[in-house]
Amino acid sequence: MSYRSSLSKVLADVVAPAAEVTGEQGRFPRAAVTALGRAGLLGLTAPTADGGGGRGCAEAAEVVARTARVCPATAAVLTSHFAAVAALGVYGNPWLRGEIAAGRHLATLALGDVGPEGLLADEGAGRRHLSPGGGGSTAVRSGGVVALRARWRSVVAAGEADSYLWSSEALETSRPTAPRALSGRPGRTDRGGVTLWVVPAHAPDLFVPARPDGAGPGGSGTSTVCADPVLVPADAMLGPDGGGGGIVLGVVRPWLLELTAAMAAEMPRTREVPCQEPGFADARSGTGPSQGAGGHDVRSAAGPAGAARSEDTGLAPACRPAGTLAPT
């Protein structure tokens, strides 16, 4: 069965019947994500060498656009997933690439200033640019462990995805530092550069607020993700230390721009979301809880990753027990 036929079946049998509940009650479309994975659509763009579909950005944009006509929340989740997979399929470890190709792993973006809001920020008359730096996220290595600190706002599928493509400033050497308040934006270092990481959703001390950020298609599971800090193995680094900006600009950004534009072009045709810019912000938000596979209530809205917000309260663990990264 072709991917187009598979998509038609999933949209008709699973996505469409739940679209109203997803949008009106803000419930994350877990059944839709599972069905898309089983139909080979989450692995559509994974390399064929890993068992994936080997398709490109044009096919992913077609999937996003067709899904947006039926359920904008599911389309938002697919947009972040495909953009993340563009990098993970090249730089991720073999186990992770295989899980993505098999449709058992949902990825998303937690990139701060180099995430969708930074990538889609206005630059002059309708132009876009990439904000420099690690977006306020720091990384300190001690032996084989790295401590990541950040508070990323508007992360799609927060508390629902299996892993986050995460950005930080380049590694700091392990040294005593003054405590940083969770509500404050971490100070920048003088090292420059951006480093990317794969942060598993089950990582201890990774949290999401129990309420949505309040923007985007209801049910897309978007919320703030907090790390204060979250500990990951040093080999969770994606690409070279300080080389993440090039990966985002050269790999993630082109996919994200095309997929977001495809989604925005279809959203005015839906009753869920009045479209504005080719992003997810200022669209209609959901108000109901989204139940993740780990049983945690995560209030959902929708939107890309962005900057820190200090007023978020009511934190819940951002973890899912199944489908996460293999231990290293």
Side-chain angles (χ1 to χ4, degrees), residues 257-268:
L257 289 173
E258 185 164 344
L259 296 173
T260 305
M263 176 180 169
E266 298 300 331
M267 285 171 66

Side-chain angles (χ1 to χ4, degrees), residues 21-27 210-212 214-220 284-290 298-302:
V21 172
T22 299
E24 295 295 335
Q25 299 183 21
R27 292 188 178 276
R211 62 174 181 162
S220 59
R284 181 173 167 184
S285 62
T287 56
S290 172
V298 182
R299 294 281 184 162
S300 303

Side-chain angles (χ1 to χ4, degrees), residues 2 13 37 63 81 143 145 165 183 197 200 242 245 249 257 269 271 275:
S2 71
D13 295 348
V63 170
H81 172 76
V145 177
L165 179 61
S183 60
W197 308 87
L249 277 172
L257 289 173
R269 304 180 188 181
R271 59 189 176 84
C275 175

Side-chain angles (χ1 to χ4, degrees), residues 91 170 192-196 237-249:
Y91 298 95
V194 177
T195 299
L196 296 182
M237 185 186 296
L238 202 74
D241 184 26
I247 296 174
V248 172
L249 277 172

Side-chain angles (χ1 to χ4, degrees), residues 126-145:
R127 299 185 63 84
R128 310 282 179 181
H129 76 285
L130 172 70
S131 299
S137 173
T138 60
V140 180
R141 179 169 180 169
S142 178
V145 177

Side-chain angles (χ1 to χ4, degrees), residues 104-216:
R104 294 189 293 264
H105 193 98
L106 179 67
T108 193
L109 302 172
L111 298 178
D113 287 348
V114 296
E117 282 187 357
L119 291 171
L120 301 179
D122 288 335
E123 184 184 68
R127 299 185 63 84
R128 310 282 179 181
H129 76 285
L130 172 70
S131 299
S137 173
T138 60
V140 180
R141 179 169 180 169
S142 178
V145 177
V146 175
L148 299 172
R149 291 179 185 270
R151 179 187 282 262
W152 296 145
R153 200 183 103 186
S154 298
V155 177
V156 176
E160 303 285 355
D162 297 303
S163 68
Y164 302 85
L165 179 61
W166 188 283
S167 71
S168 75
E169 295 175 357
L171 279 170
E172 299 177 15
T173 57
S174 181
R175 62 180 182 271
T177 57
R180 292 180 173 91
L182 178 61
S183 60
R185 189 179 179 84
R188 295 188 180 275
T189 70
D190 57 2
R191 290 189 52 117
V194 177
T195 299
L196 296 182
W197 308 87
V198 182
V199 177
H202 68 273
D205 298 321
L206 191 65
F207 294 92
V208 299
R211 62 174 181 162
D213 285 342

